[in-house]
Amino acid sequence: MSQYRYLTNYLKNLIPVPFELETAEEFYQIGEGPAHFHVKIKKDIPKRSLLRSTSLALGEAYMKGDLEIDGDLYDVLDTLMGEIRRFRKDSWALHGLLHTSLSRNNQEKEVTSHYDIGNDFYRLWLDETMSYSCGYFPDENRSLFDAQVGKTDHILEKLYLKPGMKLLDIGCGWGFLLKRAVEHYGVRGVGITLAKEQYRQLSEEIHGAHMEDRLEVHLMDYRDLAELDRVERDAESGHFASGNRLWNELCAGECFDRIVSVGMIEHVGRENYDEFFNCVDQVLKPGGLFLLHFISALEEHSGDPWIRKYIFPGGVIPSLREIVRLLPDVGFYTLDVESLRRHYVRTLQCWRENFLAHRYEITEKFGEKFTRMWDLYLASCAAAFHHGVVDLHQVLMSKGVNNELPMTR
């Protein structure tokens, strides 16, 4: 009996299009008609691994080079994502991977493991804005840079900013949204992040542009927002200092007019959603607006095992309905909900094009396994958004009733 028999039958039943399958023992033509791609298996994948998690077993095999694809990786994964409901996931066996600690220390480690790989790495394949979230493509010819600027303006216009307002960005990344809000809308901005590399770069840019009186960034957990009057920490040790003008105003009892959070709630954890919104409520003025931009799912689930293990440890994608259902508990009114799912497909395709253009350089620095892992991540996410496995939503809400806004978007 062939040692590859179970794996061969597994792939036959999983892949819905004709393809060629090559093992060390045999060559197979699977399905009727011309093959869409060629799969080469260099080392058998055990049955127990496939039954434990389809994505983890196949993903690890691809990372290690035990599974090779002759054809565009995105096209193959786009085919597979249409069959994702047939993927195996043994939640009991994967419990430790799918349900990690929600403590501050652990979540900080999980976040920094992804975002602190190095600014130079992200600079290779993000655009000049260093925006690591979905762009906005009104047309196919829009460049990635223009799409990221457009996304940022799309968000800021929804917030109806006025000069002198105070804007908080929870999970501010490298700070492009805040810098644009300060420069083009005349607001004063504060950003918070757990990523030390992002914090250091944004701090240097603020100082270099002499924007200290208008813009600040702090290295802090969102949970500290509920304790502004009691917290004083040191940024270099992984925490924040409270010696800045805007921060001191807040500690004196003032709050933010507007709050935005882009791609951050995915790191909060399902059990902490209530606390997250309570913290936002603590520092948002009555009538103030909060825009939440997040990857969403159609239904609630614990996440993909391969993504959880290798890309976003601890990451959980909320469903749209569970987020919207929480808002009345803190007196937030839902004003606007918009899906940008197809915009994220294009964004990820742009990122992958940039990534592959620098593949040799990335491999030289991080190794072949790391490069294959990140290529798999970018291609699989693009395919997942294309098939609606995941979505991207922007939800605009107000704290209490706000009758001062325009009546149309």
Side-chain angles (χ1 to χ4, degrees), residues 189-223:
V190 174
I192 65 171
T193 179
L194 286 176
K196 297 179 180 65
E197 291 288 315
Q198 294 175 343
Y199 167 78
R200 290 191 180 107
Q201 178 173 311
L202 181 52
S203 296
E204 291 171 3
E205 291 176 357
I206 292 171
H207 180 71
H210 306 292
M211 299 175 68
E212 295 92 340
D213 61 333
R214 296 176 291 159
L215 179 57
E216 296 175 8
V217 59
H218 298 277
L219 202 60
M220 65 175 284
D221 191 287
Y222 73 90
R223 283 164 281 206

Side-chain angles (χ1 to χ4, degrees), residues 143-161:
S143 70
L144 178 60
F145 171 79
D146 288 339
Q148 292 294 8
V149 174
K151 179 275 301 292
T152 303
D153 288 340
H154 193 58
I155 289 173
L156 297 178
E157 288 166 7
K158 287 183 177 182
L159 289 171
Y160 301 102
L161 299 171

Side-chain angles (χ1 to χ4, degrees), residues 42-43 57 59-68 369 372:
K42 299 180 180 179
K43 183 179 179 182
E60 289 181 333
Y62 183 81
M63 287 166 54
K64 293 183 289 187
D66 295 338
L67 185 157
E68 293 282 1
K369 183 177 179 181
R372 291 172 71 89

Side-chain angles (χ1 to χ4, degrees), residues 367-391:
E368 179 66 21
K369 183 177 179 181
F370 176 93
T371 304
R372 291 172 71 89
M373 178 181 76
W374 272 80
D375 185 23
L376 180 59
Y377 156 57
L378 294 172
S380 63
C381 285
F385 278 102
H386 183 237
H387 279 275
V389 176
V390 284
D391 207 321

Side-chain angles (χ1 to χ4, degrees), residues 231-278:
V231 183
E232 184 172 344
R233 302 187 177 183
D234 173 44
E236 280 305 309
S237 66
H239 302 291
F240 69 92
S242 61
N244 302 77
R245 181 185 303 172
L246 293 180
W247 201 255
N248 288 338
E249 289 181 9
L250 295 170
C251 292
E254 294 193 32
C255 290
F256 291 99
D257 303 281
R258 301 289 188 261
I259 299 177
V260 64
S261 185
V262 177
M264 181 272 177
I265 199 170
E266 298 92 323
H267 301 287
V268 165
R270 183 159 280 120
E271 293 84 352
N272 283 350
Y273 292 157
D274 284 327
E275 185 172 11
F276 174 80
F277 282 106
N278 282 325

